[in-house]
Short mmCIF file of all heavy atoms in Angstrom, two decimals:
data_model
loop_
_atom_site.label_atom_id
_atom_site.label_comp_id
_atom_site.label_asym_id
_atom_site.label_seq_id
_atom_site.Cartn_x
_atom_site.Cartn_y
_atom_site.Cartn_z
N ASN C 55 -9.97 10.56 -17.58
CA ASN C 55 -9.86 9.21 -17.02
C ASN C 55 -10.15 9.19 -15.52
O ASN C 55 -9.69 10.07 -14.78
CB ASN C 55 -8.47 8.64 -17.28
CG ASN C 55 -8.20 8.46 -18.74
OD1 ASN C 55 -9.00 7.88 -19.47
ND2 ASN C 55 -7.06 8.94 -19.21
N ARG C 56 -10.90 8.20 -15.09
CA ARG C 56 -11.24 8.05 -13.67
C ARG C 56 -10.39 6.97 -13.03
O ARG C 56 -10.31 5.85 -13.57
CB ARG C 56 -12.71 7.66 -13.49
CG ARG C 56 -13.71 8.77 -13.51
CD ARG C 56 -15.10 8.24 -13.13
NE ARG C 56 -15.42 7.01 -13.83
CZ ARG C 56 -15.90 6.95 -15.06
NH1 ARG C 56 -16.12 8.07 -15.71
NH2 ARG C 56 -16.17 5.78 -15.62
N PRO C 57 -9.77 7.26 -11.87
CA PRO C 57 -9.08 6.19 -11.14
C PRO C 57 -10.11 5.18 -10.65
O PRO C 57 -11.30 5.49 -10.52
CB PRO C 57 -8.44 6.93 -9.96
CG PRO C 57 -8.48 8.37 -10.31
CD PRO C 57 -9.65 8.55 -11.21
N SER C 58 -9.64 3.97 -10.37
CA SER C 58 -10.56 2.97 -9.84
C SER C 58 -11.13 3.46 -8.51
O SER C 58 -10.42 4.06 -7.70
CB SER C 58 -9.84 1.64 -9.65
OG SER C 58 -8.77 1.79 -8.75
N GLY C 59 -12.41 3.23 -8.32
CA GLY C 59 -13.06 3.63 -7.08
C GLY C 59 -13.79 4.95 -7.17
O GLY C 59 -14.61 5.27 -6.30
N VAL C 60 -13.52 5.74 -8.20
CA VAL C 60 -14.23 7.01 -8.38
C VAL C 60 -15.51 6.74 -9.17
O VAL C 60 -15.47 6.12 -10.23
CB VAL C 60 -13.35 8.03 -9.13
CG1 VAL C 60 -14.17 9.29 -9.48
CG2 VAL C 60 -12.15 8.41 -8.28
N PRO C 61 -16.65 7.17 -8.65
CA PRO C 61 -17.93 6.89 -9.32
C PRO C 61 -17.96 7.47 -10.73
O PRO C 61 -17.37 8.52 -11.01
CB PRO C 61 -18.95 7.60 -8.42
CG PRO C 61 -18.28 7.73 -7.10
CD PRO C 61 -16.83 7.91 -7.38
N ASP C 62 -18.69 6.79 -11.62
CA ASP C 62 -18.77 7.25 -13.00
C ASP C 62 -19.67 8.47 -13.15
O ASP C 62 -19.89 8.96 -14.27
CB ASP C 62 -19.22 6.12 -13.93
CG ASP C 62 -20.58 5.56 -13.58
OD1 ASP C 62 -21.24 6.12 -12.70
OD2 ASP C 62 -20.97 4.54 -14.18
N ARG C 63 -20.17 9.00 -12.04
CA ARG C 63 -20.89 10.27 -12.05
C ARG C 63 -19.94 11.43 -12.36
O ARG C 63 -20.38 12.51 -12.74
CB ARG C 63 -21.56 10.53 -10.69
CG ARG C 63 -22.41 9.41 -10.18
CD ARG C 63 -23.11 9.74 -8.88
NE ARG C 63 -22.24 9.69 -7.72
CZ ARG C 63 -21.78 10.75 -7.09
NH1 ARG C 63 -22.10 11.96 -7.52
NH2 ARG C 63 -21.01 10.63 -6.03
N PHE C 64 -18.66 11.18 -12.14
CA PHE C 64 -17.65 12.20 -12.38
C PHE C 64 -17.05 11.99 -13.78
O PHE C 64 -16.62 10.90 -14.12
CB PHE C 64 -16.54 12.12 -11.34
CG PHE C 64 -16.98 12.52 -9.96
CD1 PHE C 64 -17.58 11.59 -9.12
CD2 PHE C 64 -16.82 13.82 -9.51
CE1 PHE C 64 -18.01 11.95 -7.85
CE2 PHE C 64 -17.24 14.19 -8.24
CZ PHE C 64 -17.84 13.26 -7.41
N SER C 65 -17.04 13.06 -14.57
CA SER C 65 -16.47 12.97 -15.90
C SER C 65 -15.74 14.26 -16.24
O SER C 65 -16.06 15.33 -15.71
CB SER C 65 -17.54 12.68 -16.96
OG SER C 65 -18.49 13.73 -16.99
N GLY C 66 -14.74 14.14 -17.12
CA GLY C 66 -13.96 15.30 -17.48
C GLY C 66 -13.84 15.44 -18.99
O GLY C 66 -13.98 14.47 -19.74
N SER C 67 -13.58 16.67 -19.43
CA SER C 67 -13.41 16.94 -20.85
C SER C 67 -12.53 18.18 -21.01
O SER C 67 -12.20 18.87 -20.03
CB SER C 67 -14.76 17.16 -21.54
OG SER C 67 -15.41 18.30 -20.98
N LYS C 68 -12.15 18.46 -22.25
CA LYS C 68 -11.33 19.63 -22.52
C LYS C 68 -11.61 20.15 -23.93
O LYS C 68 -11.79 19.36 -24.86
CB LYS C 68 -9.85 19.29 -22.40
CG LYS C 68 -8.91 20.50 -22.42
CD LYS C 68 -7.44 20.08 -22.41
CE LYS C 68 -6.94 19.81 -23.80
NZ LYS C 68 -5.46 19.71 -23.86
N SER C 69 -11.63 21.46 -24.05
CA SER C 69 -11.75 22.10 -25.35
C SER C 69 -10.86 23.33 -25.35
O SER C 69 -11.08 24.27 -24.58
CB SER C 69 -13.21 22.51 -25.63
OG SER C 69 -13.30 23.18 -26.88
N GLY C 70 -9.84 23.29 -26.19
CA GLY C 70 -8.90 24.40 -26.24
C GLY C 70 -8.20 24.59 -24.91
O GLY C 70 -7.61 23.65 -24.37
N ASN C 71 -8.26 25.80 -24.38
CA ASN C 71 -7.59 26.11 -23.12
C ASN C 71 -8.47 25.91 -21.90
O ASN C 71 -8.08 26.31 -20.79
CB ASN C 71 -7.09 27.56 -23.14
CG ASN C 71 -6.03 27.80 -24.20
OD1 ASN C 71 -5.36 26.87 -24.64
ND2 ASN C 71 -5.89 29.04 -24.63
N THR C 72 -9.65 25.32 -22.07
CA THR C 72 -10.57 25.15 -20.95
C THR C 72 -10.93 23.68 -20.75
O THR C 72 -11.35 23.00 -21.68
CB THR C 72 -11.86 25.94 -21.18
OG1 THR C 72 -11.55 27.34 -21.25
CG2 THR C 72 -12.85 25.74 -20.03
N ALA C 73 -10.73 23.23 -19.52
CA ALA C 73 -11.13 21.88 -19.12
C ALA C 73 -12.38 21.98 -18.27
O ALA C 73 -12.67 23.04 -17.69
CB ALA C 73 -10.01 21.20 -18.34
N SER C 74 -13.11 20.89 -18.18
CA SER C 74 -14.35 20.88 -17.41
C SER C 74 -14.51 19.58 -16.64
O SER C 74 -14.11 18.52 -17.12
CB SER C 74 -15.56 21.06 -18.34
OG SER C 74 -15.51 22.30 -19.01
N LEU C 75 -15.11 19.71 -15.47
CA LEU C 75 -15.48 18.55 -14.65
C LEU C 75 -16.99 18.58 -14.51
O LEU C 75 -17.56 19.61 -14.10
CB LEU C 75 -14.84 18.63 -13.26
CG LEU C 75 -15.29 17.56 -12.26
CD1 LEU C 75 -14.74 16.19 -12.66
CD2 LEU C 75 -14.85 17.92 -10.84
N THR C 76 -17.64 17.49 -14.84
CA THR C 76 -19.09 17.38 -14.69
C THR C 76 -19.40 16.33 -13.64
O THR C 76 -18.85 15.23 -13.67
CB THR C 76 -19.77 17.01 -16.01
OG1 THR C 76 -19.53 18.06 -16.97
CG2 THR C 76 -21.26 16.84 -15.83
N ILE C 77 -20.27 16.69 -12.72
CA ILE C 77 -20.78 15.74 -11.74
C ILE C 77 -22.25 15.54 -12.06
O ILE C 77 -23.05 16.48 -11.97
CB ILE C 77 -20.62 16.25 -10.30
CG1 ILE C 77 -19.18 16.69 -10.03
CG2 ILE C 77 -21.02 15.16 -9.31
CD1 ILE C 77 -18.97 17.33 -8.65
N SER C 78 -22.59 14.31 -12.45
CA SER C 78 -23.98 13.98 -12.78
C SER C 78 -24.62 13.29 -11.58
O SER C 78 -23.94 12.58 -10.84
CB SER C 78 -24.02 13.06 -13.99
OG SER C 78 -23.33 13.64 -15.09
N GLY C 79 -25.91 13.50 -11.41
CA GLY C 79 -26.57 12.85 -10.28
C GLY C 79 -25.95 13.27 -8.96
O GLY C 79 -25.54 12.44 -8.15
N LEU C 80 -25.87 14.56 -8.75
CA LEU C 80 -25.20 15.14 -7.59
C LEU C 80 -25.69 14.51 -6.29
O LEU C 80 -26.90 14.29 -6.09
CB LEU C 80 -25.46 16.65 -7.57
CG LEU C 80 -24.57 17.54 -6.71
CD1 LEU C 80 -23.11 17.47 -7.16
CD2 LEU C 80 -25.09 18.97 -6.75
N GLN C 81 -24.73 14.19 -5.41
CA GLN C 81 -25.07 13.60 -4.12
C GLN C 81 -24.50 14.46 -2.99
O GLN C 81 -23.56 15.21 -3.18
CB GLN C 81 -24.53 12.17 -4.03
CG GLN C 81 -25.13 11.23 -5.06
CD GLN C 81 -24.67 9.78 -4.88
OE1 GLN C 81 -23.98 9.45 -3.91
NE2 GLN C 81 -25.07 8.91 -5.81
N ALA C 82 -25.06 14.28 -1.80
CA ALA C 82 -24.67 15.10 -0.65
C ALA C 82 -23.17 15.00 -0.39
O ALA C 82 -22.53 15.99 -0.05
CB ALA C 82 -25.46 14.68 0.58
N GLU C 83 -22.61 13.82 -0.57
CA GLU C 83 -21.18 13.62 -0.28
C GLU C 83 -20.26 14.27 -1.31
O GLU C 83 -19.05 14.32 -1.10
CB GLU C 83 -20.84 12.13 -0.17
CG GLU C 83 -21.12 11.32 -1.41
CD GLU C 83 -22.46 10.59 -1.31
OE1 GLU C 83 -23.41 11.15 -0.72
OE2 GLU C 83 -22.53 9.47 -1.84
N ASP C 84 -20.86 14.80 -2.38
CA ASP C 84 -20.05 15.49 -3.38
C ASP C 84 -19.74 16.93 -2.96
O ASP C 84 -18.95 17.61 -3.62
CB ASP C 84 -20.77 15.52 -4.73
CG ASP C 84 -21.04 14.13 -5.28
OD1 ASP C 84 -20.27 13.20 -4.93
OD2 ASP C 84 -21.99 13.97 -6.05
N GLU C 85 -20.37 17.39 -1.88
CA GLU C 85 -20.11 18.74 -1.39
C GLU C 85 -18.68 18.83 -0.89
O GLU C 85 -18.30 18.15 0.06
CB GLU C 85 -21.10 19.12 -0.29
CG GLU C 85 -20.99 20.57 0.16
CD GLU C 85 -22.21 21.05 0.90
OE1 GLU C 85 -23.29 21.14 0.28
OE2 GLU C 85 -22.09 21.34 2.11
N ALA C 86 -17.87 19.64 -1.55
CA ALA C 86 -16.44 19.73 -1.26
C ALA C 86 -15.85 20.83 -2.14
O ALA C 86 -16.55 21.46 -2.93
CB ALA C 86 -15.75 18.41 -1.56
N ASP C 87 -14.56 21.05 -1.97
CA ASP C 87 -13.82 21.93 -2.87
C ASP C 87 -13.20 21.08 -3.98
O ASP C 87 -12.74 19.96 -3.72
CB ASP C 87 -12.73 22.68 -2.12
CG ASP C 87 -13.28 23.66 -1.10
OD1 ASP C 87 -14.35 24.24 -1.35
OD2 ASP C 87 -12.64 23.83 -0.05
N TYR C 88 -13.18 21.63 -5.19
CA TYR C 88 -12.61 20.93 -6.34
C TYR C 88 -11.54 21.79 -6.99
O TYR C 88 -11.74 23.00 -7.19
CB TYR C 88 -13.71 20.58 -7.34
CG TYR C 88 -14.65 19.52 -6.83
CD1 TYR C 88 -15.70 19.85 -5.99
CD2 TYR C 88 -14.46 18.18 -7.15
CE1 TYR C 88 -16.56 18.89 -5.48
CE2 TYR C 88 -15.32 17.19 -6.67
CZ TYR C 88 -16.36 17.56 -5.83
OH TYR C 88 -17.20 16.59 -5.34
N TYR C 89 -10.43 21.16 -7.32
CA TYR C 89 -9.31 21.86 -7.95
C TYR C 89 -8.90 21.15 -9.22
O TYR C 89 -8.79 19.91 -9.25
CB TYR C 89 -8.10 21.91 -7.02
CG TYR C 89 -8.31 22.71 -5.76
CD1 TYR C 89 -8.78 22.11 -4.60
CD2 TYR C 89 -8.03 24.08 -5.72
CE1 TYR C 89 -8.98 22.83 -3.44
CE2 TYR C 89 -8.23 24.82 -4.56
CZ TYR C 89 -8.70 24.18 -3.43
OH TYR C 89 -8.90 24.91 -2.28
N CYS C 90 -8.64 21.91 -10.27
CA CYS C 90 -8.03 21.34 -11.46
C CYS C 90 -6.53 21.57 -11.37
O CYS C 90 -6.05 22.38 -10.57
CB CYS C 90 -8.59 21.96 -12.73
SG CYS C 90 -8.34 23.76 -12.88
#
Side-chain angles (χ1 to χ4, degrees):
Chain C
N55 295 311
R56 276 187 314 277
S58 61
V60 173
D62 60 7
R63 308 183 284 105
F64 292 85
S65 62
S67 62
K68 190 185 86 167
S69 178
N71 296 337
T72 298
S74 298
L75 173 71
T76 297
I77 309 174
S78 305
L80 197 62
Q81 298 185 6
E83 59 262 36
D84 299 334
E85 186 162 294
D87 294 326
Y88 291 82
Y89 295 91
C90 61

